Amino acid sequence: MNVPGSVQIIDVSPRDGLQNEKQTVPTEIKFELIEGLIDAGIKKLEATSFVSPKWVPQMGDNSELMQLINQARHPEVCYSVLTPNMRGFEGALKFAADEVVIFGSASETFSQKNINCSIDESIERFAPVAAAAKAAGIKVRGVISCAVGCPYEGEIAPSQVAYVTKRLVDIGAEHIGVADTIGVGTPIKVQNALKAAMQYIDVKDISGHFHDTYGQALANILTSLSLGVAQYDTSVAGLGGCPYAKGATGNVATEDVVYMLHGMGIDTGVDLDKLIHVGQRISDFLGRNNGSRAAKALLAKLQD
Ligand SMILES: CC(C)(COP(=O)([O-])OP(=O)([O-])OC[C@H]1O[C@@H](n2cnc3c(N)ncnc32)[C@H](O)[C@@H]1OP(=O)([O-])[O-])[C@@H](O)C(=O)NCCC(=O)NCCSC(=O)C[C@@](C)(O)CC(=O)[O-]
């Protein structure tokens, strides 16, 4: 199989990993998680989201977190934040985020449930965000949720992914994330979603975002690699879920992806030995089982 020689890991655990946590996670713990990820070699991460705290209370400390980050900023790291509208963009700008994420959906119903507007209305909201970000020299990433399946509508046609990709690219998204929000995708379906996006954007500017709800995420990454996709959103310890996608479990665990990629001779720049401790620390704090099988196996070996 022809696969990329190196892959960029985008760890989304501080945002996607924690947004659905019921217990309040102190800002200092989020900051510690971010610093641990960076120490383990992560060069790009989703720090937080500038969304309504009524909709996602866990991200309500976005300003405080960005303030902490800015006191110890690592210039080589890309700090991304989610911005659903201009109000969110103002937060991103104030705290000098490196990238804003405009997050749309391939499913009409999910768009309504998640951001309270239709797909077309969301594009209208995102357009000024993308324009303002470009003017300020901030990167713009578009993410398409429910690119394979939707908790409300079931299977999603690749033509929907193509449509939303085109709309996002037309308003200025430089990158498209193809997201399997509820982890129902299997390799051929995921390939079809990616190929739909590839009609409108080069594969080098596409990332995969695969939740592991049905245990398909590594297979989906493998199949995406074969298409040349070289960027993946992952979450340390497999943390995560979307508050507006019932039953959605965590993202594929960063440790599992790194283990697979390194085993294939693909460089990630991540130090797996350090990363497993970062995942275990946050799992311990949350009182959760570590969702990474590779981390559990490696940590058990250390105790032998
Ligand atoms: C988009 C809105 C705001 C629309 O929500 P709305 O109610 O339609 O918006 P609105 O403009 O009418 O404003 C309502 C209230 O929210 C405030 N507001 C408005 N905007 C902001 C903002 N940016 N920051 C802070 N506050 C804001 C606004 O000021 C007002 O406050 P009030 O007058 O009631 O006190 C809302 O639906 C929302 O915040 N949704 C968040 C959804 C979310 O974060 N979902 C999880 C992330 S997406 C995801 O996880 C999927 C992904 C990306 O990981 C990929 C995948 O797996 O698929």
Side-chain angles (χ1 to χ4, degrees):
M1 185 167 63
N2 206 5
V3 293
S6 67
V7 153
Q8 178 164 52
I9 299 288
I10 304 150
D11 194 289
V12 297
S13 58
R15 196 279 304 171
D16 204 357
L18 297 179
Q19 68 182 8
N20 209 21
E21 263 312 309
K22 296 291 170 275
Q23 58 184 304
T24 306
V25 182
T27 312
E28 293 70 27
I29 296 288
K30 296 178 183 177
F31 178 64
E32 197 180 288
L33 169 63
I34 289 171
E35 287 289 296
L37 293 170
I38 294 169
D39 184 53
I42 295 290
K43 292 280 185 296
K44 183 165 182 172
L45 51 88
E46 279 184 3
T48 185
S49 52
F50 284 91
V51 298
S52 162
K54 285 186 189 147
W55 284 64
V56 186
Q58 191 62 257
M59 297 288 110
D61 64 345
N62 43 29
S63 298
E64 292 78 8
L65 180 59
M66 290 305 291
Q67 263 163 16
L68 276 182
I69 286 173
N70 283 342
Q71 285 166 21
R73 190 105 170 198
H74 301 264
E76 74 284 9
V77 174
C78 176
Y79 297 86
S80 300
V81 299
L82 266 62
T83 52
N85 52 20
M86 280 306 286
R87 167 100 187 259
F89 176 74
E90 282 155 23
L93 186 64
K94 180 170 175 196
F95 295 104
D98 296 301
E99 181 182 69
V100 293
V101 180
I102 46 180
F103 50 107
S105 170
S107 150
E108 276 297 348
T109 315
F110 185 75
S111 182
Q112 290 288 355
K113 301 267 186 196
N114 194 39
I115 49 175
N116 207 22
C117 62
S118 70
I119 293 173
D120 286 340
E121 285 163 349
S122 76
I123 302 292
E124 278 168 36
R125 283 185 192 175
F126 297 150
V129 175
K134 281 214 159 156
I138 300 173
K139 290 187 222 159
V140 182
R141 182 151 56 101
V143 170
I144 305 176
S145 291
C146 297
V148 189
C150 166
Y152 310 101
E153 294 183 12
E155 202 154 315
I156 295 293
S159 55
Q160 275 296 104
V161 178
Y163 174 74
V164 181
T165 302
K166 180 172 185 330
R167 297 290 317 267
L168 287 170
V169 169
D170 283 349
I171 61 166
E174 301 146 297
H175 179 101
I176 293 293
V178 173
D180 182 9
T181 312
I182 53 170
V184 289
T186 44
I188 303 298
K189 288 179 186 168
V190 163
Q191 280 210 358
N192 290 339
L194 291 167
K195 284 178 184 166
M198 283 159 65
Q199 289 172 40
Y200 296 105
I201 189 161
D202 195 284
V203 69
K204 74 173 177 24
D205 296 315
I206 293 180
S207 54
H209 175 114
F210 304 120
H211 286 255
D212 203 23
T213 319
Y214 290 80
Q216 302 297 302
L218 286 180
N220 289 334
I221 289 179
L222 195 59
T223 204
S224 308
L225 284 168
S226 74
L227 290 184
V229 176
Q231 300 179 57
Y232 296 95
D233 291 356
T234 64
S235 181
V236 78
L239 296 176
C242 175
Y244 297 101
K246 199 164 172 263
T249 58
N251 272 278
V252 63
T254 309
E255 301 91 318
D256 293 356
V257 177
V258 169
Y259 180 84
M260 179 181 87
L261 295 174
H262 289 184
M264 294 172 71
I266 298 173
D267 181 36
T268 64
V270 175
D271 181 335
L272 186 54
D273 293 334
K274 282 187 173 178
L275 190 68
I276 56 177
H277 295 289
V278 179
Q280 192 53 49
R281 261 201 311 275
I282 186 73
S283 301
D284 288 345
F285 175 81
L286 297 171
R288 280 175 173 262
N289 252 334
N290 191 329
S292 163
R293 295 176 71 163
K296 277 199 282 206
L298 290 166
L299 287 163
K301 249 170 86 175
L302 288 179
Q303 281 168 3
D304 282 350

